[in-house]
Amino acid sequence: MVLTLVATVSLHAEPPKIEHVIDLLQKAKDAADPLPILQHARKEFSDFNPVDANKLTAAGSGQRKTAGMEVAGHDRKHEAMEAIGHAIEAAKEKGDTKAKIESAIAKVHYAGALKH
C-alpha cells in the first residue's frame, strides 16, 4: 500500500530541473531585485530537455509521434524561455514583475509536462 502511494506521488512530481527553475522564479517574485535570480533561472532552464527520449523509445512510439512530441516539447520550452525573457525585461525596466513571473512559472510547468 505504501509503495503504491509513493509511486503515484512520484509520477506527478515535476522533473528536478523544472522544480529548481520554478523555485528560482518563486524567489524572484518576492525579491527586492529579481533580475539576477531571473537570469539564473533562464540559464538553468536553457539546459532543460523537454522530451525524455528514453521514455518515448521504451514506449515503442512511432517516429511521427516521437517527432510530434519533440516539436511540441521544444515549442513549450521556447514559450517558457520567452516568458522568462519578458520577466527579465520588466525587471530591467524596474517595472512590476509579478505578473510576468507568474506567467513564466505557468509556462515552465507546461514545458515540464512532456517529461512525464
Side-chain angles (χ1 to χ4, degrees):
M1 182 71 150
V2 174
L3 181 60
T4 303
L5 180 61
V6 171
T8 302
V9 171
S10 68
L11 287 176
H12 299 299
E14 295 284 355
K17 177 70 79 178
I18 294 298
E19 285 180 7
H20 178 64
V21 172
I22 290 170
D23 286 345
L24 289 171
L25 292 171
Q26 291 288 359
K27 287 177 187 174
K29 191 166 65 169
D30 298 324
D33 181 15
L35 184 59
I37 301 169
L38 289 169
Q39 290 171 329
H40 182 65
R42 178 174 57 187
K43 182 184 180 316
E44 289 292 314
F45 188 65
S46 69
D47 296 336
F48 172 69
N49 183 7
V51 178
D52 187 344
N54 292 331
K55 196 178 281 186
L56 292 175
T57 302
S61 300
Q63 286 183 341
R64 286 194 325 191
K65 182 177 180 185
T66 302
M69 289 185 78
E70 286 177 15
V71 169
H74 289 288
D75 285 351
R76 289 179 183 182
K77 179 180 177 179
H78 176 75
E79 290 172 4
M81 288 292 288
E82 203 170 72
I84 294 170
H86 291 308
I88 288 171
E89 289 305 312
K92 285 180 180 177
E93 296 170 3
K94 304 293 183 195
D96 183 19
T97 59
K98 287 195 189 280
K100 301 281 186 187
I101 293 172
E102 287 172 359
S103 174
I105 290 169
K107 291 185 180 192
V108 169
H109 272 295
Y110 188 58
L114 280 181
K115 281 297 237 194
H116 297 293

